[in-house]
PDB file of all heavy atoms in Angstrom:
ATOM      1  N   PRO O 772     -18.510  -1.686  -6.061  1.00 55.00           N
ATOM      2  CA  PRO O 772     -18.549  -1.650  -4.593  1.00 55.00           C
ATOM      3  C   PRO O 772     -18.175  -0.272  -4.068  1.00 55.00           C
ATOM      4  O   PRO O 772     -17.284   0.389  -4.604  1.00 55.00           O
ATOM      5  CB  PRO O 772     -17.496  -2.689  -4.187  1.00 55.00           C
ATOM      6  CG  PRO O 772     -17.290  -3.548  -5.388  1.00 55.00           C
ATOM      7  CD  PRO O 772     -17.544  -2.671  -6.564  1.00 55.00           C
ATOM      8  N   SER O 773     -18.875   0.172  -3.042  1.00 58.00           N
ATOM      9  CA  SER O 773     -18.533   1.464  -2.446  1.00 58.00           C
ATOM     10  C   SER O 773     -17.292   1.297  -1.586  1.00 58.00           C
ATOM     11  O   SER O 773     -17.005   0.208  -1.097  1.00 58.00           O
ATOM     12  CB  SER O 773     -19.698   1.970  -1.585  1.00 58.00           C
ATOM     13  OG  SER O 773     -19.949   1.068  -0.533  1.00 58.00           O
ATOM     14  N   MET O 774     -16.554   2.390  -1.404  1.00 74.00           N
ATOM     15  CA  MET O 774     -15.337   2.345  -0.609  1.00 74.00           C
ATOM     16  C   MET O 774     -15.506   3.249   0.603  1.00 74.00           C
ATOM     17  O   MET O 774     -15.201   4.442   0.546  1.00 74.00           O
ATOM     18  CB  MET O 774     -14.133   2.740  -1.463  1.00 74.00           C
ATOM     19  CG  MET O 774     -13.726   1.676  -2.450  1.00 74.00           C
ATOM     20  SD  MET O 774     -12.157   1.997  -3.280  1.00 74.00           S
ATOM     21  CE  MET O 774     -12.665   3.266  -4.447  1.00 74.00           C
ATOM     22  N   ALA O 775     -16.010   2.671   1.669  1.00 85.00           N
ATOM     23  CA  ALA O 775     -16.189   3.411   2.908  1.00 85.00           C
ATOM     24  C   ALA O 775     -14.833   3.640   3.552  1.00 85.00           C
ATOM     25  O   ALA O 775     -13.844   2.974   3.232  1.00 85.00           O
ATOM     26  CB  ALA O 775     -17.104   2.634   3.847  1.00 85.00           C
ATOM     27  N   ARG O 776     -14.781   4.573   4.478  1.00 92.00           N
ATOM     28  CA  ARG O 776     -13.569   4.791   5.261  1.00 92.00           C
ATOM     29  C   ARG O 776     -13.163   3.501   5.954  1.00 92.00           C
ATOM     30  O   ARG O 776     -14.003   2.652   6.257  1.00 92.00           O
ATOM     31  CB  ARG O 776     -13.799   5.888   6.299  1.00 92.00           C
ATOM     32  CG  ARG O 776     -13.878   7.289   5.715  1.00 92.00           C
ATOM     33  CD  ARG O 776     -14.239   8.276   6.799  1.00 92.00           C
ATOM     34  NE  ARG O 776     -13.227   8.331   7.830  1.00 92.00           N
ATOM     35  CZ  ARG O 776     -12.317   9.288   7.938  1.00 92.00           C
ATOM     36  NH1 ARG O 776     -12.276  10.260   7.062  1.00 92.00           N
ATOM     37  NH2 ARG O 776     -11.439   9.278   8.925  1.00 92.00           N
ATOM     38  N   VAL O 777     -11.897   3.361   6.217  1.00 94.00           N
ATOM     39  CA  VAL O 777     -11.381   2.174   6.878  1.00 94.00           C
ATOM     40  C   VAL O 777     -11.392   2.403   8.384  1.00 94.00           C
ATOM     41  O   VAL O 777     -10.749   3.320   8.894  1.00 94.00           O
ATOM     42  CB  VAL O 777      -9.944   1.860   6.409  1.00 94.00           C
ATOM     43  CG1 VAL O 777      -9.389   0.659   7.178  1.00 94.00           C
ATOM     44  CG2 VAL O 777      -9.912   1.596   4.914  1.00 94.00           C
ATOM     45  N   ASP O 778     -12.148   1.566   9.089  1.00 97.00           N
ATOM     46  CA  ASP O 778     -12.104   1.554  10.553  1.00 97.00           C
ATOM     47  C   ASP O 778     -11.025   0.562  10.943  1.00 97.00           C
ATOM     48  O   ASP O 778     -11.167  -0.643  10.755  1.00 97.00           O
ATOM     49  CB  ASP O 778     -13.459   1.126  11.108  1.00 97.00           C
ATOM     50  CG  ASP O 778     -13.470   1.076  12.633  1.00 97.00           C
ATOM     51  OD1 ASP O 778     -12.425   1.365  13.257  1.00 97.00           O
ATOM     52  OD2 ASP O 778     -14.519   0.731  13.203  1.00 97.00           O
ATOM     53  N   LEU O 779      -9.921   1.043  11.479  1.00 98.00           N
ATOM     54  CA  LEU O 779      -8.769   0.195  11.744  1.00 98.00           C
ATOM     55  C   LEU O 779      -8.958  -0.733  12.939  1.00 98.00           C
ATOM     56  O   LEU O 779      -8.196  -1.691  13.092  1.00 98.00           O
ATOM     57  CB  LEU O 779      -7.519   1.065  11.955  1.00 98.00           C
ATOM     58  CG  LEU O 779      -6.966   1.675  10.664  1.00 98.00           C
ATOM     59  CD1 LEU O 779      -5.932   2.752  10.989  1.00 98.00           C
ATOM     60  CD2 LEU O 779      -6.359   0.593   9.783  1.00 98.00           C
ATOM     61  N   ASN O 780      -9.942  -0.483  13.752  1.00 98.00           N
ATOM     62  CA  ASN O 780     -10.145  -1.331  14.922  1.00 98.00           C
ATOM     63  C   ASN O 780     -10.451  -2.771  14.489  1.00 98.00           C
ATOM     64  O   ASN O 780     -11.427  -3.034  13.788  1.00 98.00           O
ATOM     65  CB  ASN O 780     -11.301  -0.787  15.766  1.00 98.00           C
ATOM     66  CG  ASN O 780     -11.410  -1.503  17.095  1.00 98.00           C
ATOM     67  OD1 ASN O 780     -10.408  -1.769  17.755  1.00 98.00           O
ATOM     68  ND2 ASN O 780     -12.626  -1.831  17.495  1.00 98.00           N
ATOM     69  N   GLY O 781      -9.572  -3.706  14.874  1.00 97.00           N
ATOM     70  CA  GLY O 781      -9.753  -5.107  14.525  1.00 97.00           C
ATOM     71  C   GLY O 781      -9.198  -5.511  13.179  1.00 97.00           C
ATOM     72  O   GLY O 781      -9.162  -6.705  12.853  1.00 97.00           O
ATOM     73  N   LYS O 782      -8.736  -4.555  12.379  1.00 98.00           N
ATOM     74  CA  LYS O 782      -8.155  -4.888  11.084  1.00 98.00           C
ATOM     75  C   LYS O 782      -6.740  -5.445  11.276  1.00 98.00           C
ATOM     76  O   LYS O 782      -6.072  -5.169  12.268  1.00 98.00           O
ATOM     77  CB  LYS O 782      -8.090  -3.645  10.187  1.00 98.00           C
ATOM     78  CG  LYS O 782      -9.461  -3.109   9.768  1.00 98.00           C
ATOM     79  CD  LYS O 782     -10.183  -4.082   8.875  1.00 98.00           C
ATOM     80  CE  LYS O 782     -11.416  -3.457   8.220  1.00 98.00           C
ATOM     81  NZ  LYS O 782     -12.472  -3.130   9.176  1.00 98.00           N
ATOM     82  N   VAL O 783      -6.298  -6.237  10.300  1.00 98.00           N
ATOM     83  CA  VAL O 783      -4.960  -6.834  10.340  1.00 98.00           C
ATOM     84  C   VAL O 783      -4.081  -6.110   9.328  1.00 98.00           C
ATOM     85  O   VAL O 783      -4.435  -6.027   8.140  1.00 98.00           O
ATOM     86  CB  VAL O 783      -5.009  -8.337  10.021  1.00 98.00           C
ATOM     87  CG1 VAL O 783      -3.607  -8.941  10.103  1.00 98.00           C
ATOM     88  CG2 VAL O 783      -5.958  -9.057  10.960  1.00 98.00           C
ATOM     89  N   ALA O 784      -2.951  -5.582   9.785  1.00 98.00           N
ATOM     90  CA  ALA O 784      -2.064  -4.789   8.931  1.00 98.00           C
ATOM     91  C   ALA O 784      -0.658  -5.363   8.955  1.00 98.00           C
ATOM     92  O   ALA O 784      -0.133  -5.710  10.018  1.00 98.00           O
ATOM     93  CB  ALA O 784      -2.031  -3.334   9.394  1.00 98.00           C
ATOM     94  N   LEU O 785      -0.050  -5.461   7.788  1.00 98.00           N
ATOM     95  CA  LEU O 785       1.346  -5.890   7.652  1.00 98.00           C
ATOM     96  C   LEU O 785       2.182  -4.696   7.236  1.00 98.00           C
ATOM     97  O   LEU O 785       1.789  -3.953   6.322  1.00 98.00           O
ATOM     98  CB  LEU O 785       1.454  -7.015   6.626  1.00 98.00           C
ATOM     99  CG  LEU O 785       2.859  -7.574   6.351  1.00 98.00           C
ATOM    100  CD1 LEU O 785       2.790  -9.083   6.136  1.00 98.00           C
ATOM    101  CD2 LEU O 785       3.488  -6.922   5.111  1.00 98.00           C
ATOM    102  N   VAL O 786       3.320  -4.512   7.891  1.00 98.00           N
ATOM    103  CA  VAL O 786       4.226  -3.399   7.588  1.00 98.00           C
ATOM    104  C   VAL O 786       5.617  -3.969   7.337  1.00 98.00           C
ATOM    105  O   VAL O 786       6.190  -4.633   8.204  1.00 98.00           O
ATOM    106  CB  VAL O 786       4.287  -2.376   8.737  1.00 98.00           C
ATOM    107  CG1 VAL O 786       5.164  -1.188   8.338  1.00 98.00           C
ATOM    108  CG2 VAL O 786       2.887  -1.905   9.136  1.00 98.00           C
ATOM    109  N   THR O 787       6.183  -3.720   6.160  1.00 98.00           N
ATOM    110  CA  THR O 787       7.537  -4.176   5.870  1.00 98.00           C
ATOM    111  C   THR O 787       8.549  -3.115   6.299  1.00 98.00           C
ATOM    112  O   THR O 787       8.230  -1.938   6.399  1.00 98.00           O
ATOM    113  CB  THR O 787       7.719  -4.484   4.372  1.00 98.00           C
ATOM    114  OG1 THR O 787       7.662  -3.265   3.618  1.00 98.00           O
ATOM    115  CG2 THR O 787       6.652  -5.445   3.870  1.00 98.00           C
ATOM    116  N   GLY O 788       9.787  -3.560   6.557  1.00 98.00           N
ATOM    117  CA  GLY O 788      10.819  -2.635   7.020  1.00 98.00           C
ATOM    118  C   GLY O 788      10.415  -1.970   8.319  1.00 98.00           C
ATOM    119  O   GLY O 788      10.548  -0.759   8.482  1.00 98.00           O
ATOM    120  N   ALA O 789       9.934  -2.787   9.286  1.00 98.00           N
ATOM    121  CA  ALA O 789       9.229  -2.236  10.441  1.00 98.00           C
ATOM    122  C   ALA O 789      10.020  -2.244  11.736  1.00 98.00           C
ATOM    123  O   ALA O 789       9.468  -1.930  12.784  1.00 98.00           O
ATOM    124  CB  ALA O 789       7.916  -2.997  10.647  1.00 98.00           C
ATOM    125  N   MET O 790      11.314  -2.568  11.700  1.00 97.00           N
ATOM    126  CA  MET O 790      12.003  -2.646  12.990  1.00 97.00           C
ATOM    127  C   MET O 790      12.467  -1.268  13.487  1.00 97.00           C
ATOM    128  O   MET O 790      12.843  -1.137  14.654  1.00 97.00           O
ATOM    129  CB  MET O 790      13.182  -3.617  12.926  1.00 97.00           C
ATOM    130  CG  MET O 790      14.365  -3.199  12.128  1.00 97.00           C
ATOM    131  SD  MET O 790      15.650  -4.503  12.215  1.00 97.00           S
ATOM    132  CE  MET O 790      16.959  -3.735  11.250  1.00 97.00           C
ATOM    133  N   ARG O 791      12.392  -0.254  12.646  1.00 96.00           N
ATOM    134  CA  ARG O 791      12.721   1.094  13.092  1.00 96.00           C
ATOM    135  C   ARG O 791      12.170   2.101  12.085  1.00 96.00           C
ATOM    136  O   ARG O 791      11.589   1.746  11.065  1.00 96.00           O
ATOM    137  CB  ARG O 791      14.231   1.276  13.251  1.00 96.00           C
ATOM    138  CG  ARG O 791      15.043   1.065  11.989  1.00 96.00           C
ATOM    139  CD  ARG O 791      16.505   1.439  12.214  1.00 96.00           C
ATOM    140  NE  ARG O 791      17.307   1.095  11.052  1.00 96.00           N
ATOM    141  CZ  ARG O 791      18.151   0.069  10.978  1.00 96.00           C
ATOM    142  NH1 ARG O 791      18.303  -0.729  12.017  1.00 96.00           N
ATOM    143  NH2 ARG O 791      18.847  -0.169   9.880  1.00 96.00           N
ATOM    144  N   GLY O 792      12.367   3.381  12.383  1.00 96.00           N
ATOM    145  CA  GLY O 792      12.017   4.451  11.455  1.00 96.00           C
ATOM    146  C   GLY O 792      10.536   4.526  11.141  1.00 96.00           C
ATOM    147  O   GLY O 792       9.674   4.288  12.002  1.00 96.00           O
ATOM    148  N   ILE O 793      10.224   4.873   9.900  1.00 97.00           N
ATOM    149  CA  ILE O 793       8.836   5.057   9.483  1.00 97.00           C
ATOM    150  C   ILE O 793       8.034   3.776   9.687  1.00 97.00           C
ATOM    151  O   ILE O 793       6.888   3.808  10.138  1.00 97.00           O
ATOM    152  CB  ILE O 793       8.773   5.498   8.009  1.00 97.00           C
ATOM    153  CG1 ILE O 793       9.439   6.867   7.820  1.00 97.00           C
ATOM    154  CG2 ILE O 793       7.322   5.565   7.531  1.00 97.00           C
ATOM    155  CD1 ILE O 793       9.571   7.280   6.360  1.00 97.00           C
ATOM    156  N   GLY O 794       8.633   2.633   9.357  1.00 98.00           N
ATOM    157  CA  GLY O 794       7.912   1.377   9.475  1.00 98.00           C
ATOM    158  C   GLY O 794       7.488   1.073  10.895  1.00 98.00           C
ATOM    159  O   GLY O 794       6.333   0.701  11.159  1.00 98.00           O
ATOM    160  N   PHE O 795       8.413   1.234  11.844  1.00 98.00           N
ATOM    161  CA  PHE O 795       8.089   0.971  13.244  1.00 98.00           C
ATOM    162  C   PHE O 795       7.025   1.933  13.752  1.00 98.00           C
ATOM    163  O   PHE O 795       6.059   1.527  14.412  1.00 98.00           O
ATOM    164  CB  PHE O 795       9.340   1.076  14.112  1.00 98.00           C
ATOM    165  CG  PHE O 795       9.050   0.977  15.585  1.00 98.00           C
ATOM    166  CD1 PHE O 795       8.691  -0.236  16.153  1.00 98.00           C
ATOM    167  CD2 PHE O 795       9.116   2.099  16.396  1.00 98.00           C
ATOM    168  CE1 PHE O 795       8.404  -0.334  17.508  1.00 98.00           C
ATOM    169  CE2 PHE O 795       8.828   2.016  17.751  1.00 98.00           C
ATOM    170  CZ  PHE O 795       8.467   0.797  18.313  1.00 98.00           C
ATOM    171  N   GLU O 796       7.193   3.220  13.439  1.00 98.00           N
ATOM    172  CA  GLU O 796       6.225   4.209  13.915  1.00 98.00           C
ATOM    173  C   GLU O 796       4.851   3.974  13.296  1.00 98.00           C
ATOM    174  O   GLU O 796       3.821   4.199  13.940  1.00 98.00           O
ATOM    175  CB  GLU O 796       6.720   5.625  13.601  1.00 98.00           C
ATOM    176  CG  GLU O 796       7.968   6.035  14.367  1.00 98.00           C
ATOM    177  CD  GLU O 796       7.742   6.148  15.875  1.00 98.00           C
ATOM    178  OE1 GLU O 796       6.571   6.277  16.306  1.00 98.00           O
ATOM    179  OE2 GLU O 796       8.740   6.115  16.616  1.00 98.00           O
ATOM    180  N   THR O 797       4.824   3.505  12.051  1.00 98.00           N
ATOM    181  CA  THR O 797       3.542   3.198  11.415  1.00 98.00           C
ATOM    182  C   THR O 797       2.867   2.019  12.097  1.00 98.00           C
ATOM    183  O   THR O 797       1.664   2.047  12.377  1.00 98.00           O
ATOM    184  CB  THR O 797       3.746   2.907   9.911  1.00 98.00           C
ATOM    185  OG1 THR O 797       4.288   4.068   9.275  1.00 98.00           O
ATOM    186  CG2 THR O 797       2.431   2.535   9.240  1.00 98.00           C
ATOM    187  N   ALA O 798       3.639   0.966  12.365  1.00 98.00           N
ATOM    188  CA  ALA O 798       3.078  -0.195  13.071  1.00 98.00           C
ATOM    189  C   ALA O 798       2.537   0.222  14.442  1.00 98.00           C
ATOM    190  O   ALA O 798       1.446  -0.206  14.853  1.00 98.00           O
ATOM    191  CB  ALA O 798       4.142  -1.274  13.211  1.00 98.00           C
TER     192      ALA O 798
END
């Protein structure tokens, strides 16, 4: 399978350690 760029619009993402710092800013 080819690996095209990820279009984040509409994608579902889970971020652990997300209440502050890098995790929060990433979310």
Side-chain angles (χ1 to χ4, degrees):
S773 62
M774 287 189 284
R776 287 175 63 102
V777 177
D778 179 0
L779 286 168
N780 189 42
K782 293 294 192 293
V783 181
L785 179 143
V786 184
T787 68
M790 70 179 182
R791 60 173 174 254
I793 296 173
F795 173 72
E796 293 294 340
T797 299

